[in-house]
Amino acid sequence: MFDQRSLNRIHILDGATGTNLLSEGLKPGESPSILNLRNPTAVYEIQKAYVDAGAGIIMTNTFSANPFNIPPRQLSDVIEQGIRIARKASQGRARIWGDIGPLSELIEPYGPLKVNQGRRIYASIFKVFRQHGVRDFFIETFTSISEAKLAFTCASPFARRIAVALSLQDNLHTLMGEIPESIAVTFDALGAAAIGINCTAPEIIVQALERMKGYTSRPLIAKPNAGRVVIKRNEVRNSLSDRQLAGYFRDFVKAGAGMIGGCCGTTPQYIRMISREKLPPLPVRRGSGNFVCSGRGVLNIDATDTIIVGERLNPSGRKKLRAAMQRDDYSIYGADAMNQERAGADVLDVNAYLAEQDEIITIGKAVDIVSRSSKLPIALDCQNLEAAVAVMERYPGVGILNSVPARERELKKWLPAIKKYGFKVVVSLVGRAVPRTVNERLSNARTVLKIADQIGFRRRDIIFDPLVFALATDPDQVTMTLRTVAELRRRRLKTILGLSNVSYGLPCRSLINASFAAAAINAGVNFVIVNPLDPQVAAIIAAGRALFQNNMEEYLVWAQEYEKRNRTISVSADTATTAGETNSELTQAIVRGRTERIEVLTDRLLKTKIKPQLLIDKHISRALHIVGDNYESGKMFIPDLLHSAEAAKRSLAVIRRHMPGKRKKGRILLATVQGDIHDIGKNIAGMVFESAGYEVIDLGKDVLTRRIIEAVKRHKPEVLGLSALLTTTMPVMEHVISELKRNRLPVKVIIGGPNVSVEYARKIGADGAARNALDGLRILRSML
């Protein structure tokens, strides 16, 4: 963390390295880090130029130094030499931070890279930095909170300070659909020294920081690109000059940035311009709340209103859910998550414990589908610490761990892990014995606070469960529970109650639960675990908020929507639908990416004697059309797209068994061009194309032009898809097209990547340009 004095001033960072080294012996698509060994003078000169320009912090030239980009035998040398060069360039005038970027593969469940493998790679990289005296790290250009979180937790044992910056699309979401507020909350909870946005257009960064500054008191980071990539006079360049980009400086400061530098396309001249600006002291910011979040939604748990925790995602007592899990079908988790969110839940309690199954696997699958289906944060209900850690490590946000008993052994075992991942915790006030009185409960609470203080676990992140017993067997305990809630509230401590326990064994349980909810709200409870689909309970909670928490405005809104909501909310998970979808279960399953019953649903339709091609056109193509529209409008993101594509592929596999000898729609050959090792976008495109019924042959990444030409001759595809992420490798696509013409191969060519355009496609002789997989699918349909 910065000290208070440092927090109140603006730090000038350096600018781009890679784009300034393209003329220094760097081959197309090669990692700029390799120049630490091959041309250290060039690296030194650009870094010294940034120091001379006024940068107070410079990054080691190691952003892409990982085993996917650098031969493993050279990796340690590349990092060590990068540190030496930066120290020499700084001349004691600038601080040195180790620069770390994302790996070149998507991490499970969205890609082939295993979490354990990613953890080992990151830990080995940070260890090298620590061995050579670097303990400050800049983790940047991540497009997934989950991977950035993995890198952060791997860095923590080796670090003094860690700054984190993610990249956003123009819709102010990461590639995985996460929002700026969630980035701020997640890395604030993890203890980042600074949090922000990089490798993004400057106007998008300003908007993002404005949204983030209310969710963290940490310094914010602005490292913009020099505008967007454009093509002018047959050259690929950035759209903003140094002076134009420097004009955003005051906007960054106003938005709360305390660390300002540059990313792709920026130069020492830009850094000189902003370092000469009068640097005003930053206003002291203090967090205005205590937050939990998913990747797509944030909740302040210090809010005055009672927070509703949806209880239905639990196989205990739900035979239907239990049976579905036993056949590896987790679709009910997704459907019920959506239903509870629509019904007014604020948090979703997720339990996936079955004694006969591995909880690490079951809870991982359940949380994954809940995260894709709902914007609500989770309360993770785990029996096993190893299972809880596996979820907390990957979860794209900050949740609540539910729950830990108020016993010293369990608290000292669980709290450090929960703290490491920034989660909040529910502590059940069960000590060595089940408490019967208010004083016994309060004594257990004091034990919890004492141990939490020893561990450094914040009191504000603890939620006490005073225990709810069945009214039918122990009526006096209802009063004890409510009195404990009131006493803890008076001490400014948070409480939670599982309301439905009170009605166990009684008829008309909903009436008892609703009455108890009103009493609990009156006593000051902060959270209630309930079934939000129960209209009586939902009505009483809304009324209780109005009566006891002065929230009349929300109640009136709720009352006006009451009948409408009851008409649209289905208690049954099987009948859940999404706006814009057809009534076909198969279509719905593909849109939602539910792969568990795809084969059964497809077989069921085929048995109705529908022709296979009509099934494809009416159901699968319809589903992919909906997915495309939702993706374009920002309602769906890469994870949704991947799951929908997988579901469609499984359905097509079943249909093809009924279409013997029938060729697919067309053959597509894909390749990431020579010098470019980034193939995540191409891999996603391949999945989408296959899911739409095309045959896909994928040559991989860094593919020689000669090999592409040979593959076109051998496979005779209707379309060749060429991918390039880097502006430096885009000219290779033009070379491939010229070789196709020279060899008189009449294949149609689509170029793909974030920087391609119709203008560039026209210039190099390509037939289309796709910035993403769904663009490519639309172009394919028009061609074939």
Side-chain angles (χ1 to χ4, degrees):
M1 222 78 73
F2 295 131
D3 57 37
Q4 191 59 50
R5 181 179 168 188
S6 180
L7 277 171
N8 293 340
R9 67 184 181 87
I10 295 170
H11 299 265
I12 300 299
L13 311 176
D14 61 10
T17 299
T19 54
N20 289 303
L21 292 174
L22 296 178
S23 61
E24 303 297 337
L26 197 63
K27 298 174 184 177
E30 200 171 32
S31 167
S33 306
I34 199 67
L35 293 188
N36 293 344
L37 303 180
R38 189 187 300 155
N39 192 351
T41 300
V43 179
Y44 165 78
E45 287 176 350
I46 185 63
Q47 292 188 328
K48 183 176 181 298
Y50 281 125
V51 174
D52 292 341
I57 296 174
I58 61 171
M59 312 297 163
T60 56
N61 180 36
T62 53
F63 169 75
S64 55
N66 63 61
F68 292 99
N69 303 321
I70 302 292
R73 67 182 183 278
Q74 293 182 299
L75 185 56
S76 293
D77 292 340
V78 165
I79 295 172
E80 180 182 355
Q81 184 68 357
I83 294 168
R84 288 176 179 168
I85 295 168
R87 282 181 176 148
K88 180 181 177 183
S90 73
Q91 301 175 333
R93 294 184 290 155
R95 284 174 288 172
I96 309 301
W97 289 48
D99 195 20
I100 291 90
L103 305 177
S104 300
E105 296 280 1
L106 285 175
I107 294 180
E108 62 180 341
Y110 305 116
L113 187 65
K114 301 296 183 184
V115 172
N116 288 341
Q117 184 184 1
R119 189 188 302 115
R120 287 194 297 270
I121 291 171
Y122 279 124
S124 66
I125 291 170
F126 290 115
K127 185 177 180 180
V128 175
F129 277 105
R130 177 64 181 266
Q131 288 171 343
H132 294 92
V134 174
R135 294 179 57 204
D136 297 331
F137 299 112
F138 209 97
I139 294 172
E140 62 176 331
T141 324
F142 284 75
T143 57
S144 156
I145 288 178
S146 293
E147 188 181 354
K149 191 175 178 180
L150 179 63
F152 187 100
T153 54
C154 290
S156 293
F158 307 100
R160 175 175 53 193
R161 305 181 187 95
I162 308 172
V164 182
L166 276 78
S167 298
L168 300 179
Q169 303 176 96
D170 288 354
N171 60 9
L172 284 161
H173 290 74
T174 68
L175 194 64
M176 292 295 172
E178 299 141 346
I179 60 175
E181 295 88 340
S182 294
I183 296 169
V185 169
T186 300
F187 292 101
D188 185 290
L190 289 171
I195 308 162
I197 308 297
N198 81 303
C199 204
T200 301
E203 67 273 18
I204 302 300
I205 292 182
V206 171
Q207 294 176 54
L209 298 189
E210 287 284 358
R211 288 171 54 173
M212 294 170 75
K213 66 183 181 182
Y215 294 87
T216 178
S217 58
R218 318 275 184 188
L220 296 178
I221 302 163
K223 285 190 66 180
N225 292 338
R228 292 169 169 79
V229 173
V230 296
I231 300 170
K232 289 186 177 180
R233 300 185 181 91
N234 295 332
E235 291 183 10
V236 179
R237 59 175 68 176
N238 288 85
S239 61
L240 296 178
S241 67
D242 293 323
R243 187 166 299 282
Q244 288 172 320
L245 184 60
Y248 283 91
F249 178 81
R250 293 192 176 277
D251 294 328
F252 295 145
V253 173
K254 186 178 178 182
M259 301 182 81
I260 303 175
C263 207
C264 298
T266 58
T267 68
Q269 180 61 23
Y270 158 70
I271 298 300
R272 182 173 289 107
M273 289 176 178
I274 65 172
S275 68
R276 289 177 177 175
E277 291 271 358
K278 184 179 179 181
L279 303 180
L282 285 173
V284 177
R285 293 199 314 276
R286 293 180 174 83
S288 57
N290 188 14
F291 303 100
V292 292
C293 70
S294 68
R296 296 180 290 152
V298 175
L299 175 70
N300 182 6
I301 65 170
D302 281 349
T304 56
D305 285 357
T306 299
I307 292 166
I308 298 174
V309 181
E311 70 179 6
R312 288 178 55 79
L313 306 178
N314 189 332
S316 177
R318 292 194 67 193
K319 292 181 180 179
K320 190 173 184 179
L321 180 54
R322 189 182 191 89
M325 291 176 64
Q326 288 170 339
R327 61 175 185 268
D328 200 31
D329 179 2
Y330 287 78
S331 59
I332 296 179
Y333 277 94
D336 264 4
M338 288 188 290
N339 281 342
Q340 290 184 99
E341 180 177 352
R342 291 170 187 155
D346 303 300
V347 176
L348 296 173
D349 191 71
V350 185
N351 181 303
Y353 179 75
L354 291 180
E356 66 273 19
Q357 294 190 17
D358 185 346
E359 191 180 20
I360 295 177
I361 295 173
T362 59
I363 193 66
K365 289 181 177 181
V367 170
D368 175 43
I369 199 166
V370 168
S371 297
R372 288 192 286 113
S373 303
S374 170
K375 296 179 181 179
L376 300 184
I378 64 166
L380 181 62
D381 191 351
C382 268
Q383 309 289 317
N384 180 299
L385 178 58
E386 188 180 358
V389 166
V391 172
M392 291 191 292
E393 182 179 49
R394 281 174 44 190
Y395 183 65
V398 174
I400 301 167
L401 195 290
N402 180 25
S403 65
V404 180
R407 294 190 289 265
E408 182 175 357
R409 180 180 176 183
E410 284 92 336
L411 289 166
K412 288 185 174 180
K413 177 183 177 182
W414 284 75
L415 289 187
I418 297 168
K419 178 187 174 186
K420 177 181 178 180
Y421 295 103
F423 269 49
K424 320 299 181 183
V425 66
V426 172
V427 178
S428 169
L429 290 179
V430 174
R432 293 180 180 176
V434 176
R436 309 301 298 173
T437 67
V438 174
N439 285 337
E440 287 173 353
R441 287 173 167 88
L442 295 178
S443 175
N444 289 342
R446 285 192 291 271
T447 298
V448 173
L449 294 174
K450 179 181 177 182
I451 294 171
D453 290 344
Q454 292 171 358
I455 293 170
F457 198 98
R458 298 191 309 178
R459 292 186 173 199
R460 67 187 302 207
D461 292 341
I462 301 172
I463 305 161
F464 291 99
D465 179 1
L467 307 174
V468 176
F469 296 94
L471 177 64
T473 58
D474 211 340
D476 292 341
Q477 284 302 309
V478 173
T479 301
M480 295 297 177
T481 296
L482 294 174
R483 283 177 55 194
T484 305
V485 168
E487 283 297 317
L488 292 172
R489 178 77 176 205
R490 191 171 64 81
R491 291 164 169 77
R492 297 185 177 179
L493 298 170
K494 296 182 179 68
T495 56
I496 186 169
L497 294 176
L499 296 185
S500 60
N501 292 343
V502 75
S503 63
Y504 184 78
L506 292 175
C508 302
R509 294 187 67 183
S510 181
L511 293 176
I512 299 293
N513 293 343
S515 298
F516 189 44
I521 293 171
N522 186 34
V525 73
N526 300 95
F527 298 79
V528 288
I529 305 176
V530 299
N531 176 8
L533 303 179
D534 184 329
Q536 293 185 90
V537 173
I540 292 300
I541 290 174
R545 284 170 165 175
L547 283 168
F548 306 121
Q549 296 172 346
N550 198 29
N551 198 337
M552 181 60 71
E553 183 178 345
E554 182 180 315
Y555 173 75
L556 292 174
V557 172
W558 180 91
Q560 290 173 359
E561 295 293 323
Y562 180 72
E563 290 185 2
K564 177 182 176 182
R565 198 158 58 233
N566 280 334
R567 285 195 303 270
T568 58
I569 295 170
S570 170
V571 176
S572 169
D574 291 337
T575 60
T577 59
T578 301
E581 297 177 6
T582 72
N583 289 327
S584 160
E585 283 189 83
L586 178 62
T587 302
Q588 292 179 33
I590 293 172
V591 170
R592 294 176 182 165
R594 306 288 189 257
T595 58
E596 298 86 358
R597 297 181 64 233
I598 283 293
E599 289 85 354
V600 172
L601 294 172
T602 306
D603 269 329
R604 185 183 298 169
L605 281 171
L606 287 167
K607 287 174 182 176
T608 67
K609 304 301 182 183
I610 185 174
K611 291 183 178 180
Q613 188 58 54
L614 184 60
L615 193 157
I616 293 171
D617 295 339
K618 221 180 152 183
H619 299 271
I620 298 178
S621 294
R622 165 69 175 155
L624 292 176
H625 182 76
I626 293 170
V627 170
D629 288 346
N630 287 343
Y631 183 81
E632 288 297 318
S633 64
K635 295 176 183 176
M636 295 179 76
F637 300 93
I638 290 297
D640 310 296
L641 186 60
L642 291 173
H643 284 284
S644 293
E646 178 61 26
K649 279 178 63 177
R650 291 193 186 189
S651 181
L652 282 168
V654 175
I655 295 169
R656 288 194 187 107
R657 294 199 292 266
H658 296 263
M659 303 171 71
K662 184 173 176 63
R663 192 182 169 190
K664 297 182 181 181
K665 290 182 178 180
R667 181 176 294 157
I668 316 300
L669 185 68
L670 298 178
T672 299
V673 296
Q674 182 180 357
D676 202 317
I677 58 172
H678 302 84
D679 67 347
I680 290 174
K682 172 183 64 62
N683 292 344
I684 293 170
M687 282 191 67
V688 171
F689 297 164
E690 284 188 333
S691 73
Y694 297 95
E695 179 185 357
V696 175
I697 300 169
D698 190 344
L699 300 181
K701 57 190 175 183
D702 191 17
V703 184
L704 296 172
T705 299
R706 171 177 49 78
R707 188 173 161 225
I708 295 173
I709 300 301
E710 291 172 352
V712 170
K713 291 178 179 178
R714 182 168 64 255
H715 296 292
K716 296 180 173 55
E718 281 84 358
V719 177
L720 170 64
L722 298 175
S723 172
L725 176 90
L726 304 171
T727 56
T728 54
T729 55
M730 287 172 64
V732 180
M733 296 192 290
E734 182 174 13
H735 177 59
V736 172
I737 292 171
S738 67
E739 285 297 295
L740 289 170
K741 291 178 180 177
R742 190 175 69 82
N743 283 271
R744 297 182 179 178
L745 296 172
V747 63
K748 293 184 180 295
V749 178
I750 301 174
I751 59 173
N755 298 314
V756 303
S757 64
V758 173
E759 178 188 2
Y760 188 69
R762 192 178 300 119
K763 171 186 175 295
I764 67 174
D767 299 282
R771 292 175 63 88
N772 57 56
L774 291 170
D775 269 354
L777 182 58
R778 277 190 282 272
I779 294 169
L780 278 181
R781 285 171 170 163
S782 67
M783 285 181 173
L784 303 180

